Amino acid sequence: DQGNSEDGSITDSPIATPAAHRSIRIPAAAGIALAVGLLAGLAGWTLRQRPEPESRDNTIRLAMAFADAPRDQPYGITNVAISPDGARVAYASKTRLWIRRMDQKDAAAVGPASMDPFFSPDGAWVAVFDPSALIKVPADGGPTTLIAATTDRPAGGTWRHDGEIVFATNAGLFQVSSDGQHLRLLAAPDRSKRERLYAWPEFLPGGRSILFTIVSTDSEGDAVLAAMDLETLERKVVLRGASSARYAPPGQLLYQTRTGPKTTAFDPKLLETSGDATDVQGFDVLVA
């Protein structure tokens, strides 16, 4: 779903497909983590719905059909999000925002045309970007609520248990409460260092730090996976040549590279990886 190049940076490649059928393949061992160029989660819910078989492969497959085609955005957006408990899937189409409950057959239209959906920790809300703002939409339908006005190009967001949100645009990383209070700029790309964009933030356990991707203005430059302490605003490089990371308990980092998705051991307190990276098989979202 992300229009990323092999090195994880944003490209101008179009999102190819007029249809709205999604086949999601997720390794069971990853718990609630999934790769959409960036990664999100679902396997945990599926595993709870049926007895554990004596033998199985490590991939769960799920196909979902939606009434609308995805947005014709040329690069770097996310059309799909999965709630933290795996109970709901949000899908941003050309004309509206859809929610599909995993215990129901059909999706319901709950909001306007938008992009880059992400759920609240309890799954009750979905935050999305429309052309003029970051808004939130009740997952069961209802009036939308303004979080923060922005006309900049969006690049994802993440929602903490206490209601704090960190979101990214081409202007930088911002923090705001889910009721729209206390908006502040956390960091802006340093153009002198050829930083084009900060993107795809993700809260780490405890909520004090986030992961995010630094996209280079240099077409040959690798993306950089970094972490930021939200209290001190200190930044640390976690991995070079990596992007779109998601943390999967109890200690795995899932991320994209120029050779495909990988996973490695990660300490969310030290903000450090350890050991060798492993290729991830079956981590993808197919749109056909």
Side-chain angles (χ1 to χ4, degrees):
D1 230 16
Q2 296 279 355
N4 291 350
S5 67
E6 290 181 340
D7 66 355
S9 62
I10 295 176
T11 71
D12 292 330
S13 301
I15 297 173
T17 181
H21 177 79
R22 298 187 171 267
S23 173
I24 303 174
R25 300 192 295 131
I26 302 160
I32 53 167
L34 144 91
V36 190
L38 58 75
L39 309 165
L42 170 65
W45 181 92
T46 309
L47 290 175
R48 289 197 297 271
Q49 308 310 305
R50 61 186 181 190
E52 183 76 10
E54 291 185 3
S55 63
R56 56 177 170 81
D57 69 13
N58 66 345
T59 301
I60 294 169
R61 292 177 174 85
L62 174 66
M64 286 187 180
F66 290 89
D68 280 346
R71 294 178 61 92
D72 289 331
Q73 190 76 10
Y75 56 81
I77 68 165
T78 303
N79 288 328
V80 174
I82 300 173
S83 62
D85 63 359
R88 291 180 170 95
V89 175
Y91 168 60
S93 75
K94 287 182 177 181
T95 62
R96 66 200 76 187
L97 175 69
W98 298 86
I99 297 290
R100 159 79 183 271
R101 290 183 57 95
M102 298 301 297
D103 59 357
Q104 295 178 1
K105 179 181 177 181
D106 298 318
V110 299
S114 53
M115 64 183 75
D116 289 316
F118 58 97
F119 277 92
S120 63
D122 61 4
W125 295 86
V126 183
V128 291
F129 294 86
D130 71 13
S132 63
L134 174 66
I135 61 175
K136 61 181 181 181
V137 182
D140 291 326
T144 63
T145 303
L146 174 69
I147 298 176
T150 177
T151 57
D152 294 314
R153 179 212 183 282
T158 183
W159 195 321
R160 200 165 64 186
H161 285 277
D162 64 354
E164 289 297 297
I165 288 172
V166 172
F167 68 93
T169 74
N170 59 348
L173 290 169
F174 296 85
Q175 184 173 352
V176 65
S177 62
S178 58
D179 61 3
Q181 302 297 311
H182 312 300
L183 175 67
R184 66 166 178 154
L185 175 66
L186 298 173
D190 187 339
R191 310 303 182 190
S192 68
K193 296 180 179 179
R194 297 186 176 180
E195 294 179 350
R196 175 184 179 188
L197 185 73
Y198 295 161
W200 311 306
E202 166 82 353
F203 276 116
L204 287 168
R208 172 167 173 161
S209 299
I210 59 167
L211 293 170
F212 67 101
T213 300
I214 302 173
V215 181
S216 175
T217 59
D218 185 351
S219 61
E220 299 299 322
D222 280 339
V224 173
L225 181 62
M228 176 185 290
D229 185 308
L230 295 179
E231 294 185 12
T232 66
L233 300 185
E234 293 180 357
R235 283 177 273 178
K236 179 177 183 178
V237 171
V238 176
L239 285 171
R240 297 188 182 276
S243 72
S244 310
R246 289 294 181 265
Y247 176 76
Q252 290 292 308
L253 194 65
L254 302 160
Y255 56 95
Q256 185 65 270
T257 72
R258 65 170 64 238
T259 59
K262 296 183 183 295
T263 181
T264 191
F266 179 71
D267 187 322
K269 294 182 179 179
L270 297 178
L271 304 177
E272 295 177 354
T273 61
S274 61
D276 295 329
T278 303
D279 292 337
V280 178
Q281 301 298 324
F283 253 122
D284 57 14
V285 171
L286 306 179
V287 183

